């Protein structure tokens, strides 16, 4: 899939996935992911949606406007 015209992304897909891999939380909000990068909330949401469409991330709508995201390839080994 092409990113289309415009600037190349400064933040790579692996940079985004690393946030999920390093998190102790099984799911993250768009805001939690965005807080790790110097790009807009909308930009992060667009990237998360792209990763979901590619089958890399999964998401679920929570509440009227909220979304949570998780990386099914990441399995937490921490005990609860």
């Amino acid at each position: 899939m092409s990113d289309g015209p415009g600037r190349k992304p400064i933040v790579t897909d692996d940079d985004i996935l690393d946030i999920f891999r390093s998190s102790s939380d099984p799911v993250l909000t768009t805001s939690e992911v965005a807080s790790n990068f110097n790009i807009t909330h909308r930009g992060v949401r667009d990237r998360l949606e792209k990763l979901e469409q590619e089958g890399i991330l999964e998401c679920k709508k929570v509440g009227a406007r909220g979304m949570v995201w998780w990386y099914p390839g990441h399995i937490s080994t921490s005990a609860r």
Side-chain angles (χ1 to χ4, degrees):
M1 173 189 286
S2 172
D3 287 335
R7 294 181 287 174
K8 283 190 125 184
I10 296 171
V11 177
T12 67
D13 289 349
D14 277 332
D15 293 335
I16 293 171
L17 294 175
D18 282 343
I19 299 304
F20 288 90
R21 292 179 190 122
S22 65
S23 176
S24 61
D25 289 328
V27 297
L28 297 172
T29 65
T30 305
S31 295
E32 288 172 323
V33 176
S35 70
N36 291 279
F37 304 109
N38 189 24
I39 56 178
T40 65
H41 186 273
R42 173 63 189 246
V44 169
R45 189 178 73 226
D46 289 348
R47 298 289 297 281
L48 292 169
E49 288 174 354
K50 175 183 160 283
L51 289 167
E52 189 266 336
Q53 290 172 354
E54 293 174 353
I56 298 169
L57 291 179
E58 294 189 25
C59 68
K60 179 178 180 179
K61 187 172 183 175
V62 293
R65 296 177 14 163
M67 296 286 287
V68 292
W69 306 88
W70 63 95
Y71 179 43
H74 174 68
I75 299 171
S76 176
T77 57
S78 61
R80 291 193 171 215

